[in-house]
Amino acid sequence: MAKLILSFEGKTVKEYELDQEITTIGRKPDNDIQIDNMAVSGTHAKILTIMNDSFIEDLNSTNGTIINGQKISKHALCNGETVILGQHELKYVNENAEAGEGEFEKTMILRPSASDAPVSSEASKKLQQSIGKIAADIASEGAAGSDEIAAHLTLLSGGNAGKEMKLTKILTTLGKPGVQVAAITRRPLGYFLIVVDAGTSGRPLVNDKEVGTQATPLVDSDVIEVAGIKMGFYND
């Protein structure tokens, strides 16, 4: 399991396991990781963890969140990286992600202006970095199996209407970074939709209803709308 090691002036203060989907960091006591220092904002940053991977988002903090010498807004965390908040440091440790480096599943990004032309590998890489690394399919128990048993999406609007996509991966992201991003996760109990980034368009819709903060189970013939694109979910 991934964890964060909090240190101050080179001395370890505490370790935190990333055992939940959202972890908040800040000066206020209601944060999951509280750092009682005036250089840290009340609610400074949050970490989204999906399967074996995590990414961090700065929540408009006063002094910023610094990684590799640069202030970031969103950043995919890599094993061994250090996050600097004020005078404190948080080291990200995730040996599972390191072992799977280079094996991340490809992401299907659906965009309102998408054409039939495939997204270049470099563009795909940049998109992935903007919303966090995609979880690797490491053949763990309950992981995706063959195409024959996988559910699929059918695009209902946009330039690619009618096109189908098999949901054979552990995690498939949908949307456009900065506008609206959601993800469909494949779990032993079925398929679930989660919100990665509400962006400028608010929360995604399932059957014309906004998706909440918890994972939403998907059933056959549900209609999903992300970043202005409608798609049908079929699990027959």
Side-chain angles (χ1 to χ4, degrees):
M1 181 180 295
K3 64 181 179 181
L4 291 172
I5 302 174
L6 177 65
S7 63
F8 179 71
E9 295 183 346
K11 296 181 179 180
T12 298
V13 177
K14 192 173 181 179
E15 295 186 7
Y16 300 88
E17 289 190 344
L18 296 176
D19 56 0
Q20 56 191 31
E21 205 164 83
I22 300 292
T23 301
T24 59
I25 308 168
R27 190 178 70 255
K28 294 181 179 179
D30 59 350
N31 286 284
D32 299 304
I33 299 177
Q34 184 192 12
I35 302 176
D36 189 10
N37 187 288
M38 291 304 296
V40 178
S41 295
T43 304
H44 196 107
K46 70 176 181 180
I47 293 177
L48 171 67
T49 298
I50 302 175
M51 307 300 277
N52 286 327
D53 295 279
S54 305
F55 70 86
I56 187 169
E57 177 181 355
D58 182 83
L59 299 177
N60 297 316
S61 64
T62 301
N63 295 317
T65 300
I66 300 173
I67 299 177
N68 300 324
Q70 295 184 338
K71 287 186 177 181
I72 57 93
S73 56
K74 294 180 183 179
H75 179 83
L77 288 169
C78 297
N79 183 46
E81 280 191 321
T82 297
V83 181
I84 299 175
L85 297 86
Q87 298 177 359
H88 286 73
E89 295 183 352
L90 283 165
K91 183 177 180 179
Y92 178 71
V93 178
N94 187 353
E95 295 178 356
N96 288 334
E98 182 179 51
E101 190 172 359
E103 299 296 330
F104 298 114
E105 298 295 352
K106 293 184 183 297
T107 306
M108 172 68 87
I109 301 293
L110 307 177
R111 296 170 294 168
S113 59
S115 66
D116 291 333
V119 179
S120 69
S121 59
E122 182 62 26
S124 178
K125 181 179 179 181
K126 289 180 179 179
L127 287 171
Q128 287 189 23
Q129 289 175 340
S130 71
I131 62 174
K133 294 183 300 180
I134 303 308
D137 183 349
I138 57 173
S140 59
E141 184 177 356
S146 67
D147 288 356
E148 295 178 356
I149 62 172
H152 68 275
L153 295 176
T154 299
L155 299 186
L156 304 177
S157 65
N160 288 321
K163 193 171 183 179
E164 293 187 359
M165 177 175 62
K166 291 281 188 180
L167 298 173
T168 58
K169 312 305 181 185
I170 288 178
L171 182 78
T172 302
T173 59
L174 310 167
K176 183 178 181 181
V179 177
Q180 194 177 69
V181 180
I184 294 178
T185 63
R186 184 174 182 176
R187 305 176 183 177
L189 295 178
Y191 293 84
F192 294 80
L193 185 77
I194 61 174
V195 179
V196 176
D197 183 6
T200 60
S201 299
R203 307 187 75 81
L205 306 177
V206 174
N207 300 326
D208 295 324
K209 294 182 180 179
E210 284 193 353
V211 175
T213 57
Q214 301 299 317
T216 299
L218 295 172
V219 299
D220 186 48
S221 299
D222 275 347
V223 176
I224 303 166
E225 183 173 345
V226 183
I229 296 293
K230 288 188 176 183
M231 59 206 85
F233 171 83
Y234 301 101
N235 191 18
D236 47 15

